[in-house]
């Protein structure tokens, strides 16, 4: 059984993951609008992953006998100044999400909720990856500066990313 505080905090995280999905889908649309299809693909896959994060928490709340309560999702921005600005925003956003996950872990400890504590470990590990992959692309974009050739090569690379439905152990 979840405590009231834990249930509320997990519900808030469902909303945060939904917002992340919405944000990345908005970035995907931005990249489509400037004809960077590979970047758009990367963002669309990222949006799908975020939806999966939300569903993981949604299922966990139900499994623990809690009550899922969906709330309004904020509208994301729709424009960015450049591919670099968009990826800097991704990195910044992921750092913020890592903070939210850390807060949830602290709350689980406070509430002596070991099941939630174990469940959240997956998210702690995932956030390390999420921050690293966003930062890697930020660094590449910084390195290439205004070189158009580099941008098209990176677009091709990001176009390779595909969404894979994880198995239950992932
Ligand atoms: Fe679900 Fe990118 O954090």
């Amino acid at each position: 059984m979840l405590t009231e505080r834990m249930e509320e905090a997990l519900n808030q995280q469902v909303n945060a993951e939904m917002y992340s999905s919405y944000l990345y889908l908005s970035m995907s649309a931005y990249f489509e609008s400037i004809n960077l299809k590979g970047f758009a693909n990367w963002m669309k896959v990222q949006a799908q992953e975020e939806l999966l994060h939300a569903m993981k928490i949604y299922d966990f709340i139900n499994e623990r006998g809690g009550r899922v309560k969906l709330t309004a999702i904020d509208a994301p921005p729709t424009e960015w100044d450049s591919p670099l600005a968009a990826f800097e925003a991704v990195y910044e956003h992921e750092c913020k999400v890592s903070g939210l996950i850390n807060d949830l872990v602290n709350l689980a400890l406070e509430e002596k909720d070991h099941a939630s504590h174990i469940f959240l470990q997956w998210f702690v590990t995932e956030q390390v990856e999420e921050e690293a992959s966003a930062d890697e692309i930020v660094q590449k974009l910084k390195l290439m500066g205004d070189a158009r050739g580099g941008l098209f090569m990176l677009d091709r690379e990001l176009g390779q990313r595909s969404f894979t439905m994880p198995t239950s152990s992932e």
Side-chain angles (χ1 to χ4, degrees), residues 32-50:
E32 287 281 353
S33 78
I34 56 170
N35 286 314
L36 286 171
K37 302 265 182 207
F39 281 80
N41 171 69
W42 193 96
M43 287 296 177
K44 203 197 254 181
V45 172
Q46 190 64 24
Q48 285 171 296
E49 288 206 349
E50 298 299 351

Side-chain angles (χ1 to χ4, degrees), residues 13 16-17 20 24 46 49-51 53-54 93-94 97-98 101 122-123 126-127 130-131:
Q13 193 61 30
E17 301 290 347
S20 301
Y24 298 143
Q46 190 64 24
E49 288 206 349
E50 298 299 351
L51 210 51
H53 295 171
H93 182 69
E94 287 305 328
V97 173
S98 297
I101 297 293
W122 183 89
F123 286 88
E126 178 72 6
Q127 282 312 120
E130 297 266 275
E131 282 183 31

Side-chain angles (χ1 to χ4, degrees), residues 125-136:
T125 309
E126 178 72 6
Q127 282 312 120
V128 174
E129 250 179 66
E130 297 266 275
E131 282 183 31
S133 60
D135 188 48
E136 191 187 322

